[in-house]
Amino acid sequence: MSKPAHRSAGPPRRVDTDERPFVLIWELTQACDLTCEHCRADAQPDRHPDELTTEEAKTLLDQTSEFGENQLVVFSGGDPLKRDDAVELVEYGTEVGLSVTMTPSGTASLSPDAVADLADAGLRRMAVSIDGANAARHDAFRGEQGSFEETVSAAQSATNEGLPLQVNTTVCRQTIADLPEIADLVADLGAVLWSVFFLVPVGRGTALDPISPDRAERVMEWLVEEADEWPFGLKTTEAPHYRRVSIQQTEATPKRQMGITAGDGFAFVSHVGEVYPSGFLPESAGNVRERSVVDIYRDSDLFQSLRDEDALRGKCGACPYRNVCGGSRSRAYATTGDPLESDPLCSFVPEGYDGPLPWDDADPGPETDPEHAVNST
Ligand code: SF4
């Protein structure tokens, strides 16, 4: 099956990540009408009084355009549509040369008219979240009855508008058995990209169960096997060792620019302007109200250390794949408090490594039985 042609969002795949992020996520607001079990932002029903104002937001977009042509910016939340200037900001970002995409929440406010307004304003791609293969499972995960139907309807509105569609899915014990059916749904919806997020335990995500390293390895092997057959692209989020699995499985030649990790090709600006290496690594390197996001990304000690593969510790520091992987710095931070430590979701142990292993003290917890579901497709 060939993959569909679509408008590309963002800069060329090869960028110098010392100079610019491949993607900058901006959390417009933490306000959201959903109460998802895994919410990184611990979203609230009302907007925070100290959110960036419209003028401050435009200044941020001006700064961001200085990274270079066609810089990819994701308007995220919360629900970005809880801000009444969301469409205006899409239009402004587009005018200053950014490639703006958005991850609105699957609620009634994501109407066909709202999707059309976003497309008219220049939005390059819309992402929706689907975390269950049917309404009952998705709605339970999202904490809102009717969310599945509204999300699928919004996805159809996007494709009707000619707006490339991305589907985001969280991988954890609660969702793993649904992955094959969700992949079918992603294809049926005509999405151009499936983003598979391996849970990092921050925000309300601490209430969910991450999968074990062995199970993560099998999911990644399944993804590598299936990805070429899907009519959409695949990307993993907070699972850079997918690249190691892919290289081992396909015997591909490692390339430095194969992916991005927190602070290295990736940056996050919070609703109040704090700049983090990722939304799952809430360690601020500065605030855009005081310093340009460009300077913070290029020059702050935190971001520079995250781009130094030789600064990694534990088995990630000893790993021959660290230049193409490097592990999830967010997960290392969430589980150890040190963003340079080993990623505990990766089961690979470098040859000759005899230091501590991140799962030495971990409780493996109960396993559901997703393996059959994942491996049987
Ligand atoms: S040990 Fe670390 S750097 Fe090596 S593959 Fe695993 S996560 Fe990546």
Side-chain angles (χ1 to χ4, degrees):
M1 234 183 307
S2 63
K3 297 180 193 300
H6 57 85
R7 285 186 282 175
S8 68
R13 190 67 188 139
R14 289 180 181 279
V15 299
D16 179 355
T17 56
D18 284 336
E19 292 297 311
R20 64 185 284 185
F22 182 76
V23 57
L24 181 136
I25 311 274
W26 171 35
E27 175 191 66
L28 276 73
T29 179
Q30 289 193 327
C32 183
D33 292 333
L34 301 183
T35 53
C36 303
E37 286 189 35
H38 66 296
C39 185
R40 167 201 57 73
D42 200 9
Q44 310 296 318
D46 299 315
R47 291 177 58 184
H48 192 285
D50 202 29
E51 275 175 12
L52 297 184
T53 65
T54 302
E55 285 316 303
E56 287 174 323
K58 289 181 177 176
T59 301
L60 169 63
L61 296 173
D62 287 337
Q63 291 173 2
T64 303
S65 70
E66 291 167 15
F67 277 122
E69 196 184 347
N70 221 19
Q71 175 62 48
L72 177 58
V73 181
V74 179
F75 283 13
S76 175
D79 182 0
L81 292 182
K82 291 288 276 185
R83 277 187 70 130
D84 51 19
D85 56 1
V87 173
E88 177 185 348
L89 292 171
V90 171
E91 199 163 28
Y92 186 82
T94 303
E95 277 171 16
V96 298
L98 299 171
S99 180
V100 181
T101 72
M102 184 182 279
T103 60
S105 300
T107 69
S109 65
L110 195 54
S111 64
D113 285 349
V115 174
D117 288 346
L118 291 169
D120 289 346
L123 196 72
R124 299 291 288 273
R125 183 185 298 163
M126 191 178 90
V128 298
S129 295
I130 297 180
D131 294 300
N134 55 49
R137 292 179 66 80
H138 172 90
D139 291 355
F141 190 83
R142 290 270 146 189
E144 182 81 11
Q145 207 163 358
S147 172
F148 182 82
E149 205 173 306
E150 278 157 357
T151 300
V152 168
S153 167
Q156 289 163 339
S157 298
T159 48
N160 290 344
E161 290 292 334
L163 194 52
L165 175 71
Q166 173 178 330
V167 175
N168 299 338
T169 299
T170 303
V171 178
C172 60
R173 285 198 176 104
Q174 288 86 342
T175 63
I176 189 172
D178 281 20
L179 293 179
E181 282 181 77
I182 293 174
D184 292 343
L185 183 55
V186 173
D188 290 346
L189 289 171
V192 298
L193 188 66
W194 190 25
S195 174
V196 182
F197 163 61
F198 285 70
L199 182 73
V200 176
V202 297
R204 284 202 290 268
T206 52
L208 294 175
D209 296 320
I211 56 176
S212 69
D214 285 347
R215 190 56 53 92
E217 193 85 1
R218 289 200 287 282
V219 172
M220 289 180 195
E221 288 167 358
W222 173 74
L223 291 171
V224 171
E225 278 166 22
E226 299 291 322
D228 277 348
E229 300 301 318
W230 285 326
F232 48 81
L234 171 76
K235 84 176 178 86
T236 58
T237 301
E238 297 298 350
H241 44 296
Y242 174 77
R243 302 196 281 273
R244 186 257 307 157
V245 174
S246 174
I247 289 164
Q248 288 177 314
Q249 223 161 294
T250 62
E251 298 179 354
T253 308
K255 296 192 185 93
R256 178 68 187 93
Q257 288 288 347
M258 282 177 72
I260 56 177
T261 53
D264 186 6
F266 197 94
F268 179 93
V269 179
S270 82
H271 62 300
V272 294
E274 299 293 341
V275 181
Y276 303 144
S278 113
F280 302 97
L281 202 172
E283 183 85 17
S284 179
N287 191 296
V288 299
R289 286 177 163 134
E290 291 153 12
R291 191 179 175 197
S292 164
V293 69
V294 177
D295 293 345
I296 295 171
Y297 178 83
R298 290 179 181 163
D299 300 331
S300 68
D301 290 346
L302 178 59
F303 275 73
Q304 288 194 347
S305 70
L306 289 165
R307 292 195 290 267
D308 178 5
E309 67 203 33
D310 294 328
L312 296 176
R313 295 189 255 279
K315 73 186 182 73
C316 287
C319 181
Y321 294 100
R322 68 186 188 282
N323 66 334
V324 293
C325 169
S328 164
R329 300 298 97 222
S330 306
R331 189 174 295 100
Y333 180 81
T335 51
T336 70
D338 180 353
L340 299 176
E341 261 298 341
S342 297
D343 178 348
L345 191 65
C346 174
S347 63
F348 180 74
V349 180
E351 197 177 333
Y353 175 75
D354 60 2
L357 293 169
W359 51 81
D360 277 349
D361 301 320
D363 173 5
E367 288 282 14
T368 53
D369 185 25
E371 187 183 3
H372 174 74
V374 166
N375 287 336
S376 62
T377 53

